[in-house]
Amino acid sequence: MKINQTLLYSGALTLACATTLMFTGCATTPADQAASMAGKVAKTGQQLESSRASVTQVLTTLNQLVTQPSGDMRGQYKDYLDSVKNLGSTSDKVQSAVSDMIASGRAYFAGWSNQVAVISDPTLKQLSADRMNTAESNLADLKASMDKARAAYTPLAKDLKDVGTYLGNNLTTDGITAMKPRLDTIKLEAVGVRDSLSSVAQSLNQFSTTLATPAK
């Protein structure tokens, strides 16, 4: 009987850990969970900075190739292709980091809601509920900002790929001169992407302020 009770207790404990603390582990406190979320926020912030820098690098290599072509342009062309590839990679990392943070946020708020439910003091209960609601709202704003950034990035990525394909078979002075008008359009698209990433960073900072515990 003792063995059965032990197994039942162990199973219940495992289930509790999986449902309420699935992204932080069982042996944690609410403060540890907040720190874990803060860590994800910090990671996402780093990815955002890398992505914005990648946009700038793409513009730099493309502008140099189009406005300052030098002799054998294959080196400049390769630099451009590498910068486009790097932008795609950093953009994927931003998307992954934000998606991970949002998924973890749902589990975090579920646990927070359970904590609010057991507070008996009405003032403290309301304070905690208000902070939780603000944090949830800020996370929703972050998701909306990220959706806009993704929408802005899609046409830019397509145009950058098209330019790379075009130049691959037209890497001549005449070929580059013919595509110069497209450069202005791509610059505007890139600026739009950088602005949208800045909005994501602002939303990220707002969400960060609602986390009580800083990242470790």
Side-chain angles (χ1 to χ4, degrees):
M1 180 64 69
K2 288 184 179 180
I3 292 177
N4 289 338
Q5 288 177 338
T6 299
L7 290 174
L8 287 173
Y9 175 77
S10 177
L13 183 59
T14 300
L15 178 62
C17 290
T19 55
T20 63
L21 302 174
M22 65 179 176
F23 75 97
T24 57
C26 188
T28 60
T29 67
D32 291 329
Q33 296 168 43
S36 177
M37 279 304 306
K40 292 179 184 296
V41 168
K43 177 183 177 182
T44 303
Q46 293 169 356
Q47 299 294 354
L48 281 171
E49 289 300 321
S50 295
S51 188
R52 284 190 289 189
S54 295
V55 174
T56 299
Q57 184 61 24
V58 164
L59 284 178
T60 299
T61 57
L62 179 59
N63 188 66
Q64 289 176 344
L65 177 58
V66 174
T67 64
Q68 303 172 34
S70 58
D72 185 347
M73 293 173 282
R74 286 178 297 175
Q76 289 178 300
Y77 176 59
K78 183 179 183 300
D79 288 341
Y80 170 71
L81 294 180
D82 288 344
S83 67
V84 172
K85 182 179 180 180
N86 184 57
L87 175 59
S89 176
T90 57
S91 297
D92 288 343
K93 289 178 181 178
V94 168
Q95 177 60 45
S96 177
V98 171
S99 297
D100 179 51
M101 186 171 57
I102 290 174
S104 296
R106 293 192 182 101
Y108 173 59
F109 289 127
W112 193 344
S113 180
N114 290 337
Q115 293 291 328
V116 171
V118 299
I119 297 176
S120 58
D121 184 290
T123 300
L124 296 180
K125 180 187 285 289
Q126 189 61 53
L127 287 172
S128 187
D130 289 345
R131 187 179 184 86
M132 180 184 68
N133 291 335
T134 298
E136 285 186 300
S137 178
N138 287 342
L139 186 59
D141 290 342
L142 172 61
K143 182 179 182 303
S145 295
M146 190 61 209
D147 289 342
K148 290 180 180 178
R150 190 186 307 110
Y153 173 71
T154 299
L156 174 64
K158 181 178 180 298
D159 285 344
L160 292 176
K161 181 179 179 180
D162 285 348
V163 167
T165 302
Y166 166 81
L167 289 176
N169 296 290
N170 297 274
L171 198 58
T172 64
T173 301
D174 290 342
I176 288 178
T177 299
M179 66 149 289
K180 279 186 178 180
R182 293 290 297 133
L183 185 59
D184 290 336
T185 300
I186 292 174
K187 284 181 178 179
L188 288 175
E189 290 176 342
V191 169
V193 170
R194 284 194 302 195
D195 288 345
S196 65
L197 290 175
S198 294
S199 296
V200 175
Q202 291 176 357
S203 297
L204 189 68
N205 289 335
Q206 290 177 344
F207 176 58
S208 180
T209 61
T210 61
L211 299 176
T213 307
K216 294 180 180 179

